[in-house]
Short mmCIF file of all heavy atoms in Angstrom, two decimals:
data_model
loop_
_atom_site.label_atom_id
_atom_site.label_comp_id
_atom_site.label_asym_id
_atom_site.label_seq_id
_atom_site.Cartn_x
_atom_site.Cartn_y
_atom_site.Cartn_z
N PRO A 762 3.80 -0.51 7.25
CA PRO A 762 5.24 -0.77 7.27
C PRO A 762 6.08 0.19 6.42
O PRO A 762 7.30 0.24 6.55
CB PRO A 762 5.37 -2.21 6.76
CG PRO A 762 4.05 -2.84 7.08
CD PRO A 762 3.04 -1.73 6.90
N LEU A 763 5.44 0.97 5.54
CA LEU A 763 6.18 1.96 4.75
C LEU A 763 6.68 3.11 5.64
O LEU A 763 7.58 3.85 5.25
CB LEU A 763 5.29 2.54 3.64
CG LEU A 763 4.81 1.56 2.56
CD1 LEU A 763 3.79 2.23 1.65
CD2 LEU A 763 5.98 1.02 1.76
N GLY A 764 6.05 3.26 6.82
CA GLY A 764 6.44 4.32 7.73
C GLY A 764 7.03 3.77 9.01
O GLY A 764 7.33 2.58 9.12
N ASN A 765 7.19 4.66 9.99
CA ASN A 765 7.70 4.29 11.32
C ASN A 765 6.90 5.06 12.36
O ASN A 765 5.92 5.72 12.02
CB ASN A 765 9.21 4.59 11.40
CG ASN A 765 9.51 6.05 11.10
OD1 ASN A 765 9.04 6.96 11.77
ND2 ASN A 765 10.29 6.29 10.04
N LYS A 766 7.31 5.00 13.61
CA LYS A 766 6.51 5.65 14.67
C LYS A 766 6.48 7.17 14.56
O LYS A 766 5.62 7.82 15.15
CB LYS A 766 7.00 5.22 16.06
CG LYS A 766 8.42 5.64 16.38
CD LYS A 766 8.80 5.21 17.78
CE LYS A 766 10.23 5.53 18.15
NZ LYS A 766 10.76 6.82 17.74
N ASP A 767 7.39 7.76 13.77
CA ASP A 767 7.41 9.21 13.58
C ASP A 767 6.69 9.65 12.31
O ASP A 767 6.49 10.84 12.08
CB ASP A 767 8.85 9.72 13.54
CG ASP A 767 9.58 9.45 14.85
OD1 ASP A 767 8.94 9.58 15.91
OD2 ASP A 767 10.76 9.08 14.80
N THR A 768 6.31 8.70 11.48
CA THR A 768 5.61 9.01 10.22
C THR A 768 4.22 9.57 10.53
O THR A 768 3.53 9.08 11.41
CB THR A 768 5.47 7.73 9.37
OG1 THR A 768 6.78 7.22 9.09
CG2 THR A 768 4.75 8.01 8.06
N VAL A 769 3.85 10.60 9.80
CA VAL A 769 2.51 11.17 9.92
C VAL A 769 1.58 10.34 9.03
O VAL A 769 1.91 10.07 7.87
CB VAL A 769 2.50 12.65 9.48
CG1 VAL A 769 1.09 13.21 9.53
CG2 VAL A 769 3.43 13.47 10.35
N VAL A 770 0.44 9.93 9.57
CA VAL A 770 -0.53 9.15 8.78
C VAL A 770 -1.83 9.94 8.66
O VAL A 770 -2.45 10.27 9.68
CB VAL A 770 -0.82 7.77 9.43
CG1 VAL A 770 -1.82 6.98 8.59
CG2 VAL A 770 0.48 6.97 9.62
N LEU A 771 -2.20 10.27 7.43
CA LEU A 771 -3.48 10.94 7.17
C LEU A 771 -4.37 9.92 6.49
O LEU A 771 -4.06 9.45 5.40
CB LEU A 771 -3.26 12.16 6.28
CG LEU A 771 -4.52 12.91 5.82
CD1 LEU A 771 -5.32 13.45 7.02
CD2 LEU A 771 -4.17 14.04 4.88
N MET A 772 -5.48 9.54 7.15
CA MET A 772 -6.32 8.46 6.65
C MET A 772 -7.76 8.91 6.39
O MET A 772 -8.42 9.44 7.28
CB MET A 772 -6.33 7.30 7.66
CG MET A 772 -7.14 6.10 7.22
SD MET A 772 -6.87 4.64 8.27
CE MET A 772 -8.06 4.91 9.59
N ASN A 773 -8.21 8.66 5.17
CA ASN A 773 -9.61 8.87 4.82
C ASN A 773 -10.43 7.74 5.44
O ASN A 773 -10.05 6.57 5.36
CB ASN A 773 -9.76 8.85 3.29
CG ASN A 773 -11.19 9.06 2.83
OD1 ASN A 773 -12.06 9.48 3.59
ND2 ASN A 773 -11.44 8.75 1.58
N LEU A 774 -11.55 8.08 6.06
CA LEU A 774 -12.37 7.07 6.76
C LEU A 774 -13.43 6.42 5.89
O LEU A 774 -14.25 5.66 6.38
CB LEU A 774 -13.05 7.72 7.98
CG LEU A 774 -12.11 8.17 9.10
CD1 LEU A 774 -12.90 8.90 10.18
CD2 LEU A 774 -11.35 6.99 9.68
N ASP A 775 -13.42 6.70 4.59
CA ASP A 775 -14.45 6.14 3.70
C ASP A 775 -13.94 4.87 3.03
O ASP A 775 -13.01 4.93 2.23
CB ASP A 775 -14.85 7.17 2.65
CG ASP A 775 -16.01 6.66 1.81
OD1 ASP A 775 -17.01 6.21 2.39
OD2 ASP A 775 -15.90 6.70 0.57
N PRO A 776 -14.53 3.70 3.34
CA PRO A 776 -14.05 2.46 2.74
C PRO A 776 -14.51 2.26 1.30
O PRO A 776 -15.58 2.72 0.92
CB PRO A 776 -14.66 1.38 3.64
CG PRO A 776 -15.89 2.01 4.20
CD PRO A 776 -15.64 3.49 4.28
N VAL A 777 -13.67 1.59 0.53
CA VAL A 777 -14.07 1.11 -0.79
C VAL A 777 -14.20 -0.40 -0.63
O VAL A 777 -13.22 -1.09 -0.35
CB VAL A 777 -13.03 1.45 -1.87
CG1 VAL A 777 -13.42 0.83 -3.21
CG2 VAL A 777 -12.89 2.96 -2.01
N LEU A 778 -15.42 -0.91 -0.76
CA LEU A 778 -15.65 -2.33 -0.47
C LEU A 778 -15.14 -3.22 -1.60
O LEU A 778 -15.54 -3.04 -2.75
CB LEU A 778 -17.13 -2.58 -0.23
CG LEU A 778 -17.79 -1.77 0.90
CD1 LEU A 778 -19.26 -2.16 1.03
CD2 LEU A 778 -17.07 -1.95 2.21
N PRO A 779 -14.27 -4.19 -1.27
CA PRO A 779 -13.84 -5.15 -2.29
C PRO A 779 -15.04 -5.97 -2.77
O PRO A 779 -16.05 -6.08 -2.07
CB PRO A 779 -12.84 -6.04 -1.54
CG PRO A 779 -12.49 -5.31 -0.30
CD PRO A 779 -13.65 -4.42 0.02
N SER A 780 -14.92 -6.56 -3.95
CA SER A 780 -16.04 -7.28 -4.55
C SER A 780 -16.57 -8.39 -3.64
O SER A 780 -17.79 -8.61 -3.57
CB SER A 780 -15.64 -7.85 -5.91
OG SER A 780 -14.50 -8.67 -5.78
N MET A 781 -15.69 -9.09 -2.92
CA MET A 781 -16.12 -10.18 -2.03
C MET A 781 -16.98 -9.65 -0.88
O MET A 781 -17.91 -10.31 -0.42
CB MET A 781 -14.92 -10.95 -1.48
CG MET A 781 -14.12 -11.69 -2.55
SD MET A 781 -15.04 -12.98 -3.37
CE MET A 781 -14.83 -14.32 -2.21
N VAL A 782 -16.66 -8.43 -0.42
CA VAL A 782 -17.45 -7.81 0.65
C VAL A 782 -18.78 -7.33 0.08
O VAL A 782 -19.85 -7.57 0.66
CB VAL A 782 -16.68 -6.63 1.30
CG1 VAL A 782 -17.57 -5.90 2.30
CG2 VAL A 782 -15.41 -7.14 1.98
N ALA A 783 -18.71 -6.68 -1.09
CA ALA A 783 -19.93 -6.18 -1.74
C ALA A 783 -20.91 -7.32 -2.05
O ALA A 783 -22.12 -7.15 -1.98
CB ALA A 783 -19.57 -5.43 -3.02
N ALA A 784 -20.36 -8.50 -2.34
CA ALA A 784 -21.19 -9.67 -2.65
C ALA A 784 -21.70 -10.37 -1.38
O ALA A 784 -22.47 -11.32 -1.46
CB ALA A 784 -20.39 -10.66 -3.49
N GLY A 785 -21.27 -9.87 -0.21
CA GLY A 785 -21.73 -10.44 1.06
C GLY A 785 -21.00 -11.72 1.47
O GLY A 785 -21.42 -12.41 2.39
N LEU A 786 -19.88 -12.00 0.81
CA LEU A 786 -19.13 -13.23 1.12
C LEU A 786 -18.07 -13.02 2.20
O LEU A 786 -17.59 -13.97 2.80
CB LEU A 786 -18.48 -13.79 -0.15
CG LEU A 786 -19.46 -14.15 -1.27
CD1 LEU A 786 -18.71 -14.47 -2.56
CD2 LEU A 786 -20.35 -15.32 -0.86
N GLU A 787 -17.70 -11.76 2.41
CA GLU A 787 -16.72 -11.42 3.45
C GLU A 787 -17.18 -10.16 4.15
O GLU A 787 -18.05 -9.45 3.65
CB GLU A 787 -15.33 -11.23 2.85
CG GLU A 787 -14.68 -12.52 2.38
CD GLU A 787 -13.29 -12.29 1.79
OE1 GLU A 787 -12.73 -11.19 1.95
OE2 GLU A 787 -12.78 -13.23 1.15
N GLU A 788 -16.57 -9.86 5.30
CA GLU A 788 -16.94 -8.65 6.04
C GLU A 788 -15.81 -7.65 6.02
O GLU A 788 -14.65 -8.02 6.15
CB GLU A 788 -17.27 -9.01 7.50
CG GLU A 788 -18.76 -9.19 7.74
CD GLU A 788 -19.07 -9.35 9.22
OE1 GLU A 788 -18.66 -8.47 10.00
OE2 GLU A 788 -19.70 -10.35 9.57
N TYR A 789 -16.17 -6.39 5.87
CA TYR A 789 -15.18 -5.31 5.96
C TYR A 789 -14.94 -5.03 7.45
O TYR A 789 -15.90 -5.00 8.23
CB TYR A 789 -15.71 -4.06 5.25
CG TYR A 789 -14.67 -3.00 5.01
CD1 TYR A 789 -13.93 -2.98 3.83
CD2 TYR A 789 -14.41 -2.01 5.96
CE1 TYR A 789 -12.97 -2.01 3.60
CE2 TYR A 789 -13.44 -1.04 5.74
CZ TYR A 789 -12.72 -1.05 4.56
OH TYR A 789 -11.76 -0.08 4.34
N PRO A 790 -13.70 -4.83 7.87
CA PRO A 790 -13.45 -4.55 9.30
C PRO A 790 -14.18 -3.30 9.78
O PRO A 790 -14.42 -2.39 8.99
CB PRO A 790 -11.92 -4.34 9.35
CG PRO A 790 -11.40 -4.87 8.07
CD PRO A 790 -12.49 -4.80 7.07
N LYS A 791 -14.49 -3.25 11.07
CA LYS A 791 -15.14 -2.06 11.63
C LYS A 791 -14.12 -0.91 11.65
O LYS A 791 -12.94 -1.12 11.88
CB LYS A 791 -15.62 -2.36 13.06
CG LYS A 791 -16.81 -3.30 13.09
CD LYS A 791 -17.29 -3.50 14.53
CE LYS A 791 -18.58 -4.30 14.57
NZ LYS A 791 -18.49 -5.60 13.88
N MET A 792 -14.62 0.31 11.40
CA MET A 792 -13.74 1.47 11.32
C MET A 792 -12.95 1.69 12.61
O MET A 792 -11.78 2.04 12.57
CB MET A 792 -14.57 2.72 10.96
CG MET A 792 -13.77 3.81 10.29
SD MET A 792 -12.74 3.27 8.90
CE MET A 792 -13.97 2.74 7.73
N GLU A 793 -13.59 1.43 13.76
CA GLU A 793 -12.88 1.59 15.05
C GLU A 793 -11.69 0.64 15.11
O GLU A 793 -10.63 1.00 15.64
CB GLU A 793 -13.80 1.33 16.25
CG GLU A 793 -15.08 2.13 16.31
CD GLU A 793 -16.17 1.58 15.40
OE1 GLU A 793 -16.62 0.44 15.61
OE2 GLU A 793 -16.58 2.30 14.47
N GLU A 794 -11.87 -0.57 14.59
CA GLU A 794 -10.78 -1.55 14.58
C GLU A 794 -9.62 -1.07 13.71
O GLU A 794 -8.45 -1.23 14.05
CB GLU A 794 -11.27 -2.91 14.07
CG GLU A 794 -12.21 -3.64 15.02
CD GLU A 794 -12.86 -4.86 14.36
OE1 GLU A 794 -12.46 -5.23 13.24
OE2 GLU A 794 -13.77 -5.44 14.99
N LEU A 795 -9.97 -0.48 12.58
CA LEU A 795 -8.93 -0.01 11.66
C LEU A 795 -8.16 1.17 12.24
O LEU A 795 -6.93 1.21 12.17
CB LEU A 795 -9.54 0.37 10.30
CG LEU A 795 -10.10 -0.80 9.49
CD1 LEU A 795 -10.85 -0.30 8.26
CD2 LEU A 795 -8.98 -1.75 9.06
N THR A 796 -8.88 2.13 12.84
CA THR A 796 -8.17 3.28 13.42
C THR A 796 -7.33 2.83 14.62
O THR A 796 -6.22 3.31 14.82
CB THR A 796 -9.14 4.41 13.84
OG1 THR A 796 -10.15 3.88 14.68
CG2 THR A 796 -9.76 5.09 12.64
N GLU A 797 -7.85 1.86 15.38
CA GLU A 797 -7.10 1.32 16.52
C GLU A 797 -5.85 0.58 16.03
O GLU A 797 -4.77 0.70 16.62
CB GLU A 797 -7.99 0.37 17.34
CG GLU A 797 -7.47 0.07 18.73
CD GLU A 797 -6.88 1.28 19.46
OE1 GLU A 797 -7.56 2.30 19.63
OE2 GLU A 797 -5.70 1.18 19.87
N CYS A 798 -5.99 -0.15 14.93
CA CYS A 798 -4.87 -0.86 14.31
C CYS A 798 -3.74 0.12 13.97
O CYS A 798 -2.58 -0.13 14.26
CB CYS A 798 -5.35 -1.59 13.04
SG CYS A 798 -4.07 -1.91 11.82
N VAL A 799 -4.11 1.27 13.37
CA VAL A 799 -3.10 2.27 13.01
C VAL A 799 -2.51 2.89 14.27
O VAL A 799 -1.29 2.96 14.42
CB VAL A 799 -3.69 3.36 12.08
CG1 VAL A 799 -2.64 4.43 11.79
CG2 VAL A 799 -4.19 2.74 10.78
N ARG A 800 -3.38 3.32 15.19
CA ARG A 800 -2.89 4.00 16.41
C ARG A 800 -1.98 3.12 17.26
O ARG A 800 -1.07 3.61 17.92
CB ARG A 800 -4.07 4.47 17.26
CG ARG A 800 -4.67 5.75 16.74
CD ARG A 800 -5.33 6.60 17.80
NE ARG A 800 -5.80 7.83 17.15
CZ ARG A 800 -7.00 7.98 16.63
NH1 ARG A 800 -7.88 6.99 16.68
NH2 ARG A 800 -7.34 9.11 16.05
N SER A 801 -2.22 1.80 17.25
CA SER A 801 -1.39 0.89 18.05
C SER A 801 0.06 0.85 17.52
O SER A 801 0.99 0.52 18.23
CB SER A 801 -1.98 -0.52 18.05
OG SER A 801 -1.87 -1.10 16.77
N LYS A 802 0.23 1.20 16.24
CA LYS A 802 1.56 1.18 15.64
C LYS A 802 2.11 2.59 15.41
O LYS A 802 3.31 2.77 15.22
CB LYS A 802 1.52 0.43 14.31
CG LYS A 802 1.22 -1.06 14.47
CD LYS A 802 1.06 -1.75 13.14
CE LYS A 802 0.88 -3.24 13.28
NZ LYS A 802 -0.14 -3.67 14.21
N ASN A 803 1.21 3.56 15.37
CA ASN A 803 1.63 4.91 15.06
C ASN A 803 0.71 5.93 15.75
O ASN A 803 -0.47 6.00 15.44
CB ASN A 803 1.59 5.11 13.54
CG ASN A 803 2.14 6.45 13.12
OD1 ASN A 803 1.75 7.48 13.66
ND2 ASN A 803 3.04 6.46 12.17
N PRO A 804 1.27 6.72 16.66
CA PRO A 804 0.45 7.68 17.41
C PRO A 804 0.09 8.93 16.60
O PRO A 804 -0.71 9.74 17.04
CB PRO A 804 1.34 8.05 18.60
CG PRO A 804 2.74 7.87 18.08
CD PRO A 804 2.68 6.76 17.08
#
């Protein structure tokens, strides 16, 4: 939301796992889902 459809987004694909994910209590989203999430809002 800090940007708009014309904003350029440069994204590093390396996740930093939050403690809950590292402890196996939650799941980190799949990378394809995350890139799709960004692309659906910003080409």
Side-chain angles (χ1 to χ4, degrees):
L763 296 172
N765 57 60
K766 64 178 177 42
D767 298 321
T768 300
V769 177
V770 180
L771 175 60
M772 181 169 87
N773 180 15
L774 294 175
D775 185 51
V777 175
L778 303 181
S780 56
M781 295 296 277
V782 174
L786 300 171
E787 288 180 13
E788 264 188 54
Y789 193 91
K791 289 183 173 55
M792 205 49 65
E793 306 79 63
E794 290 170 8
L795 292 172
T796 53
E797 197 41 56
C798 155
V799 177
R800 280 208 177 91
S801 68
K802 293 174 175 51
N803 186 310

